[in-house]
Amino acid sequence: MMESLAYFHFLRPVWLLMLLLIAALWFWSRADVKGEATMQTKGIAPHLQRALQVGGEAGTTFRPLDAVFLIAGLLTLGVAGPSWTRAANPLLANSAPLVVALKVTPSMLTGDLAPSRLERAQFKLQDFLEQRAGARTAVVAYAGSAHRVSPLTEDANILRPLLDSLSPEIMPVEGADASAALTLAQDVLSTADTPGAILFLLDDFDPADVAVFSQERGAARPPVIFLVAASTAVSLPQLERIPNAEVIRLTTDDTDLNRIERRLDAVYVSAMAGDERLRWQDRGWWLAWPAALLTLAWFRRGWTMRWVILASLMFGISTPTTARAEGWIDWFLTPDQQGQLAYNDLEFSTAGALFTDPYWRGYAKFRAGEYEEAAQVFGRITTPEAALGQGLALIRNREYRPAIAAFETALERRADYPQAQHNLAVAQAILDFVETTREQSDTGEDSGIGADDIVFDNEEGRGADSAVVVPEGDSTPLTGAQWLSMIDTDMGDFLRGRFLLDNARVGN
């Protein structure tokens, strides 16, 4: 919240001039009251004046008219449009992207944090992924070399088996090269649409790497958060010398995760504030609540202002409203505000039904998995961002040709649109793969080959199929358990092989 207040300003500052008029009228009313009190007490002895006065000195009590001026001031500030945050882009995640660099070395197997430092870090990271549901996260593992475990993804289910498989045995090079992990994490973040941050989970840090973390590579280095997975007996003072970094100790509760989330929120707010394409959020409606509470004072005995109540009723009757009368909440919140509350609670389907803003409606339906409805909503908007959203929804719905057309429409509306260009290339690659696979997936049914036949592709025969019939003698079909036992599901072997290939490419 404190980071947001750095961007505080008024959207319509000209309305602040009304405060001068309100203040002048208030001073005039106060002076008039004092003048009347002086006229009424002239010629009365001072000791009798004090005895006859009720409520202290004249002009010091809070009067109904003072409440009117205070309410007018609050409403004027609200009309002026106070703002300190940008309206979120519904086509982007509402949190900063994060790259997690996990140290995977023998020292992380130490048991000062039960069951071990590495397992505690993995457990903590999985909890954090659940807390960041819907936010983009990538994972990098490092020892003597750094390797990308996964790209930026919103699906935590993809990351869990990969995290569980990380161990020092699969790392191809011994050591603890944090600078290599930083370089790789920055490369991953460079593909994101918005600035992000880097989270290091480690138990030790080589002081020689401080210089690398302190220097900037071209653009400003992303903020770095160090989550120390070691007992309090382990001291890492070298981390305090790194600029634009925060050091957090791993805790048994969610205190550490909450601190990380606040830091990421600050990064996200700063990134949104610098995006001139986004409009500022008007927070003036917040001031309506204290103004409404002050009106309750008018129901005190002697404070009733029937003319104000009558005017309010007439104004409420004559003002049209677009809010749907589906309950008492419609008296206080607009459909978009209700939709935002449902969206924040991850009730995307409900939010999609509540939103009237087309961008938020389409994005909520997209997050709810209602891709066809989301594509229809985005298709009714004539902006490049909407065409991009339509293409993303269509590609999730496996409608690749319409998705390509949507991305091409986005590029027609904005020629320099890297997100549309990237997704167009992805959609075309997927379509080519699907069509090629479909052409090569002749099952041989037309040639009389049965379901129990084994078909091999004969490259020398230019695609001619060769069939080998499985003998039906005493052969017994494999059970489901036997099939599963034949499938290699060891993600550790997969990651070890991929890391070795990474090192081989670097060596070449």
Side-chain angles (χ1 to χ4, degrees), residues 285 329 333-348 350-351 354-355:
W285 63 273
I329 195 170
L333 299 177
T334 66
D336 282 337
Q337 291 169 345
Q338 296 176 46
Q340 189 65 58
L341 292 176
Y343 184 88
N344 294 340
D345 291 336
L346 306 182
E347 299 175 1
F348 302 119
T350 303
L354 289 170
F355 275 122

Side-chain angles (χ1 to χ4, degrees), residues 30-45 49 53 57-59:
R30 278 289 180 174
D32 187 52
V33 169
K34 291 180 180 179
E36 291 181 2
T38 303
M39 292 290 294
Q40 292 173 358
T41 58
K42 186 176 294 185
I44 302 177
Q49 289 182 25
Q53 288 178 353
E57 295 293 332

